[in-house]
Amino acid sequence: MYLGEPVEIKVKDLSKGFRLREGQVQALNGITLTTPTNRILTLLGPSGCGKTTLLRCIAGLEVPDSGEIQIGETTVFSSASKVFVPPNKRGISMVFQSYAIWPHMTVFDNVAYPLQVQKRPKEEIKQRVQKTLALVQLEGFEHRSATKLSGGQQQRVALARALIAEPKVVLFDEPLSNLDAKLREQTRRELRNFLSELGISAVYVTHDRIEALTISDVVAVMKDGQIVEIGKPKELYFSARNKFVVDFIGGANFLEAKVVGYLNGLVQVRSPIGTIICEESAAPEPGRCVTVYIRPEAFEIIDSPSERKYNVFRGVVERVLFAGEWYESDIRVGNSVLSVRLLPSVSVAEGEEIILHAAPARCRIVMGPKERR
Ligand code: ADP
Ligand code: MG
């Protein structure tokens, strides 16, 4: 079993700017975050939003301008009390985008490297390399040249090298982005399994929403150097509050609407496609303008409007595109065009009149930062 002692990381009001010739870039703008112990937290966001900078600040490879970072009980950075613990004393390892394994070296030498730097005894190194290779299911690969391995195996060598020093936390910066689509899918499943079996604390960075949803226990979505929303993958997918997050994590139909009232604890709004009943715990007052979102796959086609109590919309199919696992369609309802994902078993033709339904639980309201739960 893995011997490291997983801990949580606490980041408090962390900021970091870079001075450029053209001016200042605020890479991190007041980040506050606690990572869960024994879990995988992912920082998800578009390129340039500050993910790598945050990871590098945690690792000690960048010095923040202000704020505080605690790893377990230890404060590793504090601008107020002028603490800066160097990277090699923080008890963390990092796996980078390029695997950064050395092609001219064997698997053994690649994995043993962190212990050789520490000048550990030869016998101990040998034993720990064997043990760590077993953890990532690469027993017997010690003497292979690293380049003779598949992309997925190379990824596991990189992971073994990160694990061998028994870090408290492992940081991953887009570790799968060099793999092609098919291998990336397979490796992310493997990696998820390894990490959850090992029960390690990990901070994982990606700009790929599917990777974030599949690999993480918790996802923190970043934008412009800030964390805009944080939650478990399903929570974020089904009930994110921030419009940017809703859109980034899966795309949706956004409808401007006005709150009419309440019905059995559900919010009733008037929208361009008609009255919508939304499941919403935040309770905006009647008369307020809100944005409702419904994801494309939340709709179903029904035969008769009487089949469902709420949220029945009559529309006309404007366009249908076959996409393999589903049809992507544009459905006109009143003056709005909805993006609707239909199962391949449903057959509709362009110009056809149809009746759509969306469950109240799939009709959610976007909130400004102040109104969040
Ligand atoms: P991400 O990893 O989310 O793509 P980064 O953390 O790499 O984003 O970058 C955040 C912002 O900080 C970007 O605008 C980037 O150009 C800038 N930046 C990052 N590192 C440096 C650096 N060493 N010097 C100057 N600007 C930097
Ligand atoms: Mg990056």
Side-chain angles (χ1 to χ4, degrees), residues 11-148:
V11 174
K12 276 185 222 144
D13 206 13
L14 203 73
S15 291
K16 168 77 184 167
F18 292 104
R19 209 162 300 136
L20 303 173
R21 223 173 301 151
E22 315 86 72
Q24 165 100 354
V25 181
Q26 199 58 38
L28 300 179
N29 197 354
I31 299 264
T32 296
L33 175 74
T34 300
T35 69
T37 311
N38 296 82
R39 295 279 183 274
I40 306 166
L41 173 123
T42 293
L43 304 171
L44 171 69
S47 171
C49 72
K51 306 179 296 293
T52 296
T53 304
L54 178 53
L55 217 56
R56 287 173 58 83
C57 287
I58 293 171
L61 300 171
E62 240 19 292
V63 184
D65 299 332
S66 60
E68 205 177 295
I69 304 170
Q70 243 179 296
I71 299 177
E73 298 300 306
T74 315
T75 299
V76 295
F77 174 78
S78 165
S79 54
S81 42
K82 299 202 168 20
V83 174
F84 181 86
V85 175
N88 58 345
K89 298 267 171 3
R90 293 191 180 196
I92 51 189
S93 305
M94 198 153 165
V95 179
F96 295 94
Q97 181 161 5
S98 51
Y99 325 125
I101 60 173
W102 291 289
H104 57 280
M105 280 169 30
T106 61
V107 169
F108 183 96
D109 289 332
N110 264 286
V111 177
Y113 183 78
L115 299 185
Q116 279 160 351
V117 171
Q118 293 175 12
K119 302 206 164 31
R120 311 297 303 178
K122 262 210 168 95
E123 193 50 35
E124 180 194 329
I125 293 181
K126 202 171 148 211
Q127 277 176 13
R128 282 172 68 177
V129 169
Q130 270 173 0
K131 198 192 93 190
T132 312
L133 284 177
L135 280 182
V136 300
Q137 291 170 15
L138 281 177
E139 296 112 317
F141 280 70
E142 286 86 342
H143 303 296
R144 296 272 189 105
S145 150
T147 44
K148 297 256 162 63

